[in-house]
Structure formats: structure tokens, C-alpha cells
Amino acid sequence: MKPKDRQRPLRVGLISLGCAKNLVDAEVMLGTLLQDGIEIINDPARADALIINTCSFIDAAQEESVDTILESAAFREAHRHGQALIVAGCLSQRFRTQLRELLPEVDAFMGVDEVPRVTEIVHQALAHRAARLDARPTAPARGRARAVQEALARAVASQAPAGDRAGAANASASSVPPPAPVAVQPRPQYIPDYATPRFRLTPSHYAYVKIAEGCNHPCSFCIIPQMRGSHRSRPMDDILHEVRALLRQGVREINLISQDSTYYGLDLRPRRTGAIAAPDRFRAAVRELPPEVPTLARLLRALNDLPGDFWIRVLYTHPAHWTDELIRTIAECPKVARYVDIPLQHIHDNMLERMRRETSRAYIEDLLNRIRAGIPGIALRTTFIVGFPGETDACFETLLEFMRRVRFERLGVFLYSQEEGTRAARMSQQVPAEVKERRRQQAMALQRQICREHNAALVGRTLRVLVEGEVRARGPVPAEVRSWEHGLVRAGANGTSLVPGRWMVARSEADAPEIDGRVYIRGTLPVGEFATVKVVGHTDYDLIAQPA
């Protein structure tokens, strides 16, 4: 810091990438920094330290993380030399032994378990940056993104214990600064609790509540268990304590998140001997649980009993861990949104087996039928992966036929991403990129038509919506939406064109924040409150309404 700045608090900025679970970690870091007297700032040019909370879920998310790091380093060189750069989140967790050499611009790395230590790590990073300026190294940040990505891929493929020396050499010329501190535990154990400081980054009317962390599933395409550790649930009383506080703050929608929300509580059972994956074993274990052990169904009933007018939305449920009790609970709890987020990934038995999804086509079809029959008015959201190794034209046609028959209200499509370090990356019969893209476009064209037909059936009906805010953009509202956790969820260049006038944007019970449809309402309604509207029109993905 400059001498004239020594009397003011440290200023820290933060960029959070990736999923809602990562966003909660960012909120915890900001809350901790504020509690420790550090000022949070949105302008990177005025920040003494900048934290980038990274995602490494698929290649595209990892590329975005690396690009953001290098762009931030280049911005620092141009505008604020003394700024410390800190990399947190999944990229640090996954490449904890490689990044110090591959990204010498960074002043500290921190993993999942180090989120509560963020203030200490900020001070370490500032000290490292000061020492680095004294050493005056040459570290050009521009033009290295591809080299870093390739080095990370080689590192994982070879399980290299250290960084790519050739890649690092490009970033270091004459003087060698002290190595950046790395605070990353190899197997994360941390999960926040109610007492954890938190500064929410969502609008005031909705919040994400992390009920568990980590994952026990062996999916052949996924690296989340390697980055986030095994499944670990929060005590139910702790969750209820947090939700009560959020409701007192005026929150109208509680979004429950974890890597596998349907596994919630099973790791807290007495005398457990390991993880349970297969549906039959899971159902048997749930039947044997003593009443004091929480499950998702018990948590939902407890949340539903809390006073107030609010929605409870469950995200990230695994098809292998649904029970009849969970179906009954959603049907019987009026505050639980009639919305099911259930990533299926595929329906062809050969693909499900190669993906190690622990479910079969017959099981999935029976489950969906039971959910539809047991929860009237339910909206089903899922995601599919196209182009997985071994996916033939016949497998893909089976998937399309399944989509036509089930007619999901909400659906996203991933291109298979060949993640080094996963079982699927080593499989034969990898699908060419152009075939994967063609299949994704076919699947999304079909889903766009299904969504349009769903929306047309809603015209003339009244809906309860949660008002998000006023539409300020002029002209069409963009229709294409991509998400690292939900794939491509809106396809097509045509947006929602609104006639001149004052419009509000809202979400229905069938729409999760930031990923699903929108309801555009002509007129004025209170932001952050529920309202009843009448649907008077629709587009491919959105509804047009007026206050009822």
C-alpha cells in the first residue's frame, strides 16, 4: 500500500466463477473478510488484493478460470502494480501442485478447506507481492492461456507432481521471486455452518443454502469427488438456524444446494460402513435409519413448518437416491416448489453403464412416472450429456425419443468434455467434436419446441410468481443461456421482444434462479415479493403476463 493509504482498511475485490455452490464459498470469504475489518470493493483498479474463485468442472470452465487469472494479472500490471492476486476454488484444489509454476503471476493459492482462513491468506499474498516487486521479475501475462491449459492437461494425464517446467519458463525471465504460498489440503473436509460469517451476493429475496458438500458417486466423466472430497452433511438444526435468519431478513426463496442433495444425512447414520450408491441399497439404508438421523424428506418437512410465506427449492438431486417418502413429502409440503432438478445424463443403458450412473433406463422411467403421478403439477428439469465415448447414432436417437415422450419442462444439454484424470477420458470410441455439436443442436432444437408447447398450454392461466425486478434493457432479451452446471439451457438467437412500456421480470415455481424461464409482466409490481399474474402470451422459453 502507498504511505497515504496506510490509515484506511485493506480493500479486497472478488470474482466468483462457476456454480451456486462456489458462490456460497465466495459469500463466506467475503463475510470473513468483512468481519476482520477488510473493505470489500467492486472496482479491481482500487483493490489492494483480488481473489478469483475458480471453477474446474469442465474444460470450458477451466479455460474461463485461466483466462480470468491472466487477464487480471495483465490489468494489474497496467493499473495497480502492488495488487496481490489470489486464486481460490476448484482450480487450486485440482492442480494444487502445478499452479505455482504455471501461474507465477499469482501471489497465493487456496483450496476449499482454506475458505475460513481467507484473511490470513490475503496478508500472505500481500507480503509475497511486496517481495516480488522488490525482486522485479518479468512475468508477461498475455498470450499464455493456451500454454497453461495444455500444461495442465499434460500434468493430469501424467499425474505429474510438479508444474510444467517449459510453461513456467515462459513466465519467468531474470530475477526469481519467492514462491507463492499454497494453502490447499489434498482431501477437503470443510463445510460452513450457521456461525460462519457470510455476505450474500444474491438479490435480497432469494438465497442459496448449502446442506452438504462433496460427493460419493463414481461417475466416469466427473472430477468433483477429487476436488470437493467425499459427501458430508450439515446437521439439520444448523440448517434450520440459518434458514430462520434468512427468513427474518426477508428472503422469499430458499434454494437447497449440494453435489447430491438426495444423499443428505446418510453420512450421519450410526455405524455407517461406507458410501451407498445403488438405489436398492440406498432405499434399504433409509428404511433402517433411526428417527434422529436427518434425511432430505425430514429436512423439507422441518423447513415447511417454519412460519412465513416462502418457497423451498431443491437443486441437484441424484436419480439413484429418490424414495417414495421424498415424493410424498414434496406433494404434502405446500412451501416446497413443485420443481425437480434431477440430472439424468442419458437414458440408453449402454451409456448409463459406461457413465457409471448406477441407474438403468427401466429404473429411471419408473421413477419419473412415480414423481409425475405423486406430485401433481411438477416441473421436471434434467441435463443430458451428448457425445459421450461410445455414443452411437442409435444411442442418441434413443435419447431423442425419450425426450419426446417424457417432455421435460426444463432441460439442458452438455457436450461431453474429456476431463483428464477421469475414467471416461481413457475410454475408446471418443466422439468427434463436430458430431457432438451436431447432436447438441438437434437435442436443443427438440427441447425448444417442447418448451414452446408447454408455454402455449399456460396461456390464459394464472400463476404465482416471485418478482425479480424491472426490465431495464431495451430491445430483445437474449435467449441463449449456458451454464457450467446445466449445460446449454436455451438455444436460439431470437430473444423476447417487449413492446415499449414498463415491464417487470419474475420467476414461477417452475423456474430456478438464473437457469430457467422468465415471466415478463407489463406493469409495476413490488420487487422481491410474490404476485399473481395471468399469462397472456409466450415465446420459446418465456411467458408474457399481466397482473391478475
Side-chain angles (χ1 to χ4, degrees), residues 105-386:
E105 297 89 351
V106 177
D107 296 295
F109 299 92
M110 55 184 289
V112 174
D113 275 4
E114 287 66 44
V115 166
R117 295 178 48 212
V118 62
T119 302
E120 171 191 345
I121 292 168
V122 164
H123 285 288
Q124 291 176 355
L126 286 165
H128 179 266
R129 183 61 182 165
R132 182 185 208 107
L133 290 176
D134 288 343
R136 296 192 176 278
T138 302
R142 299 183 183 276
R144 290 182 37 243
R146 182 180 294 275
V148 172
Q149 292 288 357
E150 291 172 351
L152 291 177
R154 289 194 299 272
V156 175
S158 63
Q159 296 298 304
D164 182 284
R165 301 279 177 177
N170 291 331
S172 177
S174 53
S175 303
V176 179
V182 178
V184 185
Q185 296 298 318
R187 193 72 176 173
Q189 299 294 324
Y190 172 73
I191 183 169
D193 57 24
Y194 169 71
T196 304
R198 185 174 169 190
F199 179 80
R200 283 200 293 121
L201 297 171
T202 54
S204 60
H205 54 277
Y206 75 82
Y208 294 105
V209 175
K210 188 181 287 191
I211 63 173
E213 179 62 277
C215 183
N216 294 335
H217 288 285
C219 300
S220 61
F221 53 83
C222 185
I223 59 166
I224 286 176
Q226 300 174 38
M227 295 188 297
R228 290 282 173 170
S230 58
H231 182 99
R232 47 204 187 273
S233 302
R234 288 174 60 183
M236 191 164 79
D237 286 346
D238 191 68
I239 296 171
L240 292 172
H241 204 33
E242 178 178 354
V243 172
R244 288 190 192 99
L246 291 170
L247 296 177
R248 287 195 296 269
Q249 296 167 18
V251 170
R252 292 290 180 262
E253 181 178 39
I254 303 295
N255 294 279
L256 305 182
I257 59 172
S258 70
Q259 268 75 35
D260 176 7
S261 295
T262 33
Y263 200 80
Y264 171 73
L266 267 290
D267 57 311
L268 303 178
R269 69 190 188 279
R271 299 181 301 279
R272 66 185 179 95
T273 57
I276 302 170
D280 53 348
R281 291 186 59 216
F282 182 83
R283 287 193 296 265
V286 170
R287 285 193 297 268
E288 296 171 2
L289 288 177
E292 68 271 12
V293 175
T295 63
L296 180 58
R298 292 170 186 172
L299 173 62
L300 290 177
R301 289 188 183 276
L303 291 171
N304 186 77
D305 288 341
L306 295 178
D309 186 15
F310 61 97
W311 279 339
I312 306 159
R313 189 181 302 278
V314 184
L315 300 171
Y316 313 105
T317 73
H318 194 288
H321 296 159
W322 272 78
T323 63
D324 289 338
E325 172 59 22
L326 180 56
I327 294 173
R328 284 194 300 272
T329 296
I330 295 175
E332 294 171 2
C333 292
K335 294 176 184 176
V336 178
R338 269 45 180 173
Y339 176 95
V340 165
D341 174 32
I342 181 170
L344 298 176
Q345 313 306 8
H346 217 283
I347 194 57
H348 195 283
D349 279 326
N350 185 38
M351 292 293 96
L352 292 170
E353 183 178 355
R354 288 170 71 87
M355 290 178 176
R356 304 184 78 190
R357 288 293 290 170
E358 306 148 330
T359 52
S360 66
R361 175 173 183 163
Y363 170 86
I364 289 171
E365 291 189 336
D366 175 69
L367 173 61
L368 296 182
N369 287 336
R370 287 189 287 120
I371 291 174
R372 288 257 200 234
I375 314 171
I378 193 72
L380 293 179
R381 151 165 283 290
T382 195
T383 54
F384 290 125
I385 297 173
V386 297

